[in-house]
Amino acid sequence: MRVEFSPANKKDVLGLALFLGELMLINGAETYRVEDTVLRVCNSRGFNHVNVFASPTVIIISDYKFDGYSFLKSIKSRSIDLHKISLLNDFSRKFVSNTEITVEEAKKEIKKINRSDSYSELIQYISTGIGSAFFAGLVEGNNIPTFVSTFITSILAVKIYNKIISLSSIPAFASLIASSVIAFIGVILTQLNIISAPTMLVVGAIMPLLPGVSFIKGIRDLISGDLMSGVARAFDAGVTAVSIACGVGIVLDIWLRLGGVL
């Protein structure tokens, strides 16, 4: 049965759009994509007088012409999950093009997407280790001890990062600690003559911590005219990069002062 475009289900549709936009922001979608998706969802059910404002930390949906319904949701945590963004995008297009889908059916599908895992932890850690180890090889770490050490260290650093994030939800602090651990392991392995220098291991192992995707998304927001969101994302990426540099720099500085050589 075709869904009626009536004010009676307006709250439900706006609530659905808010939920969809929230999940997209949590998983790292650009704000222009979130705003466009929310507007399309609302318009598909006949609600054309809707405004939406999205930033990395909040999303607001409001009817500016009639009853003044407003919905706001703050975003407490963010990550990068391109797979979920793709699934949410695909579903939003399906919902917009098929008015037979009810709000309840849509919510069930969105919750199912939210619960889905892109890859298992094992696959993620193995991929992290391999990528980091090969990157170390690009900067003259092309020997077995450096490859294996970088592989293990990068996985350990990511596990530490994830654990700290689950406890504190402060990415900069988690990056600082994880990068310090990477540098410390590099120094210890150098002292034990397992690797020739810590630099290759450090460069390779910090790669999973670098906020490259966040920075690019910030640039895309700036290009799209979302100045507030773009600056916020770029600044957040910059703070994370500085935290990583500080974590590595502090450990290496102490090591050099104690007589170590890079």
Side-chain angles (χ1 to χ4, degrees), residues 61-76:
I61 303 176
S62 175
D63 181 339
Y64 63 89
K65 189 169 183 179
F66 293 111
D67 43 38
Y69 284 145
S70 294
F71 295 82
L72 181 149
K73 184 69 176 181
S74 59
I75 310 300
K76 299 298 184 182

Side-chain angles (χ1 to χ4, degrees), residues 15 26 28 30 45 63 70 87 133 140 156 177 189 195 201 214 243 246 248 254 257 262:
I26 287 174
E30 304 91 333
R45 296 305 184 263
D63 181 339
S70 294
L87 292 177
E140 300 183 359
L156 177 61
I177 299 301
L189 294 180
I195 58 177
L201 181 145
S214 297
S243 299
C246 289
V248 172
I254 293 174
R257 290 176 184 274
L262 292 178

